[in-house]
Amino acid sequence: QVQLVESGGGLAQAGGSLRLSCAASGRTFSSYSMAWFRQAPGKEREFVEGISGSSGRLYYADSVKGRFTIFRDNAKNTVYLQMNSLKPEDTAVYYCAATNGGTPGPRVRYDYWGQGTQVTVSS
């Protein structure tokens, strides 16, 4: 199995920045498309950003476009989410996910999920 472990969450003030990391185990990491999701209390899990394994194409949710950037380092089996201009509405548990098919958007089936890392943004 592919294991995903998120880190880098914490407390930030509105307007600040955080960088989340997702470390993956497995020999086929570079072939997977990766994505970040988040889930706020009382809310459904929502797609944030994705990056394809085949082309590196990026996919964004409108709520974070221009503020968040997903990128990956295949040599380190790690995908990142750079979060800038944070807002209190960004407070959630953030999860990384992997899929071996399709574009890493909100509606594809993801095969592997991490345990999540908490991000809290204060005003």
Side-chain angles (χ1 to χ4, degrees):
Q1 293 184 334
V2 174
Q3 295 181 334
L4 306 175
V5 180
E6 302 95 337
S7 63
L11 178 65
Q13 294 186 359
S17 298
L18 286 172
R19 178 178 290 183
L20 306 183
S21 299
C22 176
S25 65
R27 299 177 181 88
T28 60
F29 173 78
S30 62
S31 68
Y32 281 84
S33 293
M34 305 294 297
W36 288 94
F37 288 75
R38 66 186 182 186
Q39 187 167 22
K43 303 292 185 180
E44 295 184 352
R45 184 174 296 181
E46 65 173 343
F47 171 81
V48 179
E49 292 197 57
I51 182 169
S52 71
S54 59
S55 67
R57 185 173 180 178
L58 306 178
Y59 303 86
Y60 305 90
D62 289 340
S63 60
V64 304
K65 189 174 183 179
R67 300 189 298 121
F68 293 7
T69 301
I70 187 172
F71 59 100
R72 65 194 296 164
D73 186 340
N74 289 338
K76 296 182 178 180
N77 279 18
T78 302
V79 63
Y80 304 89
L81 183 67
Q82 179 66 46
M83 304 185 295
N84 298 324
S85 301
L86 284 164
K87 303 176 180 179
E89 305 94 275
D90 297 319
T91 296
V93 177
Y94 284 72
Y95 301 88
C96 64
T99 178
N100 63 2
T103 57
R107 298 182 180 180
V108 303
R109 178 181 180 271
Y110 289 86
D111 303 295
Y112 304 99
W113 293 84
Q115 295 299 309
T117 185
Q118 176 71 47
V119 171
T120 302
V121 183
S122 62
S123 61

